[in-house]
């Protein structure tokens, strides 16, 4: 646990008592603060009360009179589409609002690292797609190389629930826009921006607000080294803002295309990862045989992870060894079965159009299971990306409406996962890939993308 510093003897309100909320309350108590807990759900309040925390309704009269700070969970809106009423009340009274990420950076290493030969490092990864794979891959590479590493944030454990890092240790954080948007402290040693595509637009008031939330990771803390995907305009803008000139080696640019520059560049193209410094290639890795990282989108994730590992002093050979032993993450281009020459791949995490487009580019002769709760940002890119799709099998409560976005792609309205898997399997031929890449959120039929992915795997298991 990372005890929260700076609130000893003070009262701190905690709003939202899920995984990160309860961890925050415990860390506040460990640091000498009094946590005043609240959740709109009675069951969550009861669980906190069992642990001895004081329950206080933030909307009760005078609830913020003695409160030094309000700490809110990332899933609770603080600005758009409308702030939670407790957050609005705190802001109206001038009570600072923060989240567990801000408390983590505020509290980490205060006076404890002075005696260490090699102070720990914090790596923070953000972007629209590939954050989880990139973060897990970084942690895996470092582990294989013998480094002490902890993975936390939007993946793994809550940031305040990890152990204080030891001498030479590394903390790898996956950070969503919900987390970076509100944190009052953001000071990673290395920061990664994978890419940007429309997502969570209602939460951020549009694309500009969404990018601004991601950009805070770089603008607020000024990392010593930044790894930035530059294939979108926002990434190029961010890279330009960070670099003092074209040869600034504090910036590592990542691309799936050719880069003309004299700095530090990583290009993942046609299955190869090339490291370029000052216009010269200094290393290359063949990614085509790396089973845990299929497709061009995963090769870009690999490039981002490679950049972090190189910035931390690892050699290309050490990194390559980590690539080959990485098994991938569940629900992300996860090969779950091969039945009669037909591959079944679970990419339930492809919850937006851009992620689905990248998944479609990774396979050939695709039987595509798609559909769900449409997100803002447009669906126009789906049909042009479906060149390898033999047929689409559409699920979701609004399957017929979703199918309209597929254009001339041959499709069948299935409605539910069981029907889609059964129909795709019945029609598939040896060499085909049955791919779940929904291009939509799961909440019309499932609790989460993980729930949806597990249903896909269960239906595939029934085929055997």
């Amino acid at each position: 646990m990372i005890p929260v510093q700076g609130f000893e003897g003070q009262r701190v309100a905690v709003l939202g008592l899920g995984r990160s909320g309860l961890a925050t309350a415990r860390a506040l108590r460990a640091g000498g603060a009094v946590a005043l807990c609240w959740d709109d759900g009675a069951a969550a309040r009861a669980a906190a009360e069992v642990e001895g925390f004081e329950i206080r309704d933030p909307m009760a009269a005078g609830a913020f009179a003695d409160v030094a700070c309000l700490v809110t969970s990332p899933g609770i809106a603080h600005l758009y589409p409308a702030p939670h009423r407790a957050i609005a009340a705190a802001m109206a009274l001038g009570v600072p609002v923060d989240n567990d990420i801000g408390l983590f950076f505020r509290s980490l290493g205060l006076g404890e690292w002075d005696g260490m030969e090699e102070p720990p490092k914090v790596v923070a990864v953000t972007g629209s797609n590939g954050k989880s794979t990139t973060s897990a891959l970084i942690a895996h590479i470092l582990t294989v190389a013998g480094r002490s590493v902890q993975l936390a944030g939007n993946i793994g454990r809550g940031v305040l629930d990890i152990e204080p890092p030891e001498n030479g240790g590394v903390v790898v954080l996956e950070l969503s826009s919900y987390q970076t948007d509100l944190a009052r402290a953001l000071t990673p040693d290395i920061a990664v921006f994978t890419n940007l595509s429309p997502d969570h637009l209602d939460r951020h008031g549009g694309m500009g607000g969404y990018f601004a939330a991601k950009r805070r990771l770089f603008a607020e803390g000024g990392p010593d080294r930044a790894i930035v995907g530059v294939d979108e305009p926002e990434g190029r803008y961010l890279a330009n803002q960070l670099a003092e000139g074209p040869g600034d080696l504090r910036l590592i640019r990542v691309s799936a295309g050719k880069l003309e520059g004299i700095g530090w560049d990583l290009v993942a193209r046609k299955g190869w990862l090339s490291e370029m410094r000052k216009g010269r290639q200094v290393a290359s890795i063949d990614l085509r045989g790396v089973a845990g990282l299929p497709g061009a989108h995963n090769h870009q994730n690999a490039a981002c992870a490679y950049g972090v590992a190189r910035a931390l002093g690892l050699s290309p050979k050490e990194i390559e060894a980590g690539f080959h032993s990485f098994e991938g993450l569940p629900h992300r281009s996860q090969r779950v079965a091969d039945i009669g020459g037909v591959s079944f791949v679970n990419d339930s995490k492809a919850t937006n159009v851009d992620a689905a487009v990248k998944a479609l580019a990774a396979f050939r002769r695709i039987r595509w299971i798609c559909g769900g709760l449409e997100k803002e940002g447009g669906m126009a890119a789906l049909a042009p990306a479906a060149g390898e799709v033999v047929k689409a099998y559409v699920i979701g409560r609004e399957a017929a409406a979703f199918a309209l976005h597929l254009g001339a792609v041959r499709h069948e309205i299935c409605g539910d996962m069981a029907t889609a898997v059964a129909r795709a399997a019945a029609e598939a031929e040896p060499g085909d890939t049955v791919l779940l890449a929904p291009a939509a959120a799961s909440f019309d039929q499932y609790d989460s993308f993980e729930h949806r992915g597990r249903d896909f795997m269960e239906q595939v298991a029934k085929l055997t």
Side-chain angles (χ1 to χ4, degrees):
M1 179 185 299
I2 306 292
V4 173
Q5 305 297 311
F7 294 106
E8 185 175 355
Q10 300 182 68
R11 295 176 178 271
V12 177
V14 178
L15 179 63
L17 299 174
R19 181 191 61 149
S20 66
L22 270 178
T24 297
R26 297 182 191 116
L28 283 163
R29 183 163 59 187
V34 176
L36 307 174
C37 298
W38 183 259
D39 192 287
D40 291 339
R45 296 197 299 269
E49 202 165 15
V50 167
E51 293 195 32
F53 291 111
E54 181 179 341
I55 304 300
R56 179 186 287 186
D57 184 349
M59 297 311 299
F64 287 107
D66 57 351
V67 168
C69 180
L70 170 64
V71 183
T72 180
S73 293
I76 301 174
H78 60 270
L79 184 57
Y80 302 114
H84 186 281
R85 58 189 186 131
I87 296 175
M91 289 182 174
L93 293 169
V95 175
V97 180
D98 206 347
N99 61 16
D100 61 334
I101 304 301
L103 296 184
F104 170 83
F105 281 111
R106 171 183 178 138
S107 305
L108 192 65
L110 288 180
E112 299 176 4
W113 293 357
D114 294 344
M116 293 185 179
E117 294 182 4
E118 185 181 351
K121 302 285 188 184
V122 178
V123 178
V125 181
T126 195
S128 294
N129 300 309
K131 298 187 300 297
S132 295
T133 296
T134 300
S135 300
L137 181 56
I138 293 167
H140 177 78
I141 292 168
L142 294 173
T143 300
V144 170
R147 299 286 291 270
S148 172
V149 60
Q150 297 183 79
L151 180 63
N154 206 41
I155 185 175
R157 302 164 70 183
V159 292
L160 295 171
D161 198 34
I162 67 172
E163 299 303 316
E166 58 191 36
N167 184 64
V170 180
V171 177
V172 181
L173 303 180
E174 179 198 337
L175 300 182
S176 72
S177 59
Y178 292 2
Q179 294 168 310
T180 58
D181 196 20
L182 188 62
R184 295 171 69 91
L186 286 168
T187 54
D189 298 282
I190 301 173
V192 180
F193 178 87
T194 58
N195 51 59
L196 198 79
S197 61
D199 208 355
H200 309 304
L201 301 188
D202 59 335
R203 177 66 182 266
H204 297 290
M207 195 69 177
Y210 179 48
F211 174 55
K214 301 286 189 185
R215 183 178 176 273
R216 289 192 74 245
L217 182 62
F218 301 83
E220 297 295 320
D224 297 330
R225 177 78 32 78
I227 293 93
V228 178
V230 295
D231 287 342
E232 293 84 31
E234 294 86 357
R236 291 190 289 274
Y237 170 83
L238 179 60
N240 184 267
Q241 290 277 298
L242 294 172
E244 293 295 330
D248 190 345
L249 297 182
R250 295 173 302 172
L251 169 70
I252 303 175
R253 299 187 303 166
V254 175
S255 178
K258 293 183 179 180
L259 289 176
E260 302 294 338
I262 59 172
W264 193 347
D265 297 334
L266 299 174
V267 176
R269 189 166 179 262
K270 296 183 178 179
W272 286 85
L273 169 57
S274 299
E275 179 184 1
M276 310 292 293
R277 298 212 195 182
K278 297 183 178 180
R280 299 181 60 185
Q281 181 174 295
V282 298
S284 67
I285 296 175
D286 185 353
L287 298 173
R288 293 171 295 180
V290 180
L293 295 166
H297 61 305
N298 274 315
H299 294 170
Q300 287 180 271
N301 297 335
C304 289
Y306 179 97
V308 170
R310 290 290 277 151
L312 290 172
L314 272 65
S315 70
K317 286 187 177 181
E318 289 177 299
I319 300 170
E320 185 172 8
F323 284 165
H324 281 283
S325 57
F326 182 66
E327 295 182 354
L329 291 178
H331 315 297
R332 298 159 177 87
S333 296
Q334 178 189 11
R335 192 178 297 272
V336 299
D338 288 282
I339 303 172
V342 177
S343 298
F344 291 81
V345 177
N346 168 22
D347 205 329
S348 184
K349 186 60 173 66
T351 59
N352 59 46
V353 171
D354 187 65
V357 167
K358 290 177 178 177
L360 290 171
F363 303 97
R364 299 292 177 263
R365 291 175 53 186
I366 299 169
R367 302 277 175 175
W368 179 26
I369 299 176
C370 57
L373 187 63
E374 293 183 28
K375 292 186 175 182
E376 293 185 39
M379 308 286 285
L382 276 183
E388 286 292 332
V389 173
V390 178
K391 184 177 177 180
Y393 304 82
V394 189
I395 63 173
R397 292 180 184 172
E398 303 296 331
F402 188 96
L404 295 176
H405 300 295
L406 302 180
V409 176
R410 183 172 167 237
H411 64 270
E412 179 178 336
I413 305 299
C414 294
D416 59 72
M417 187 70 72
T419 303
V421 171
R423 293 292 299 140
E427 297 182 344
E429 300 175 357
D432 287 356
T433 295
V434 176
L435 171 67
L436 171 64
S442 59
F443 302 120
D444 59 333
Q445 293 182 311
Y446 299 97
D447 295 335
S448 63
F449 73 84
E450 293 97 339
H451 184 192
R452 178 172 58 191
R454 288 193 298 271
D455 189 16
F456 173 77
M457 291 190 290
E458 289 169 4
Q459 301 305 324
V460 172
K462 291 177 182 179
L463 300 175
T464 60

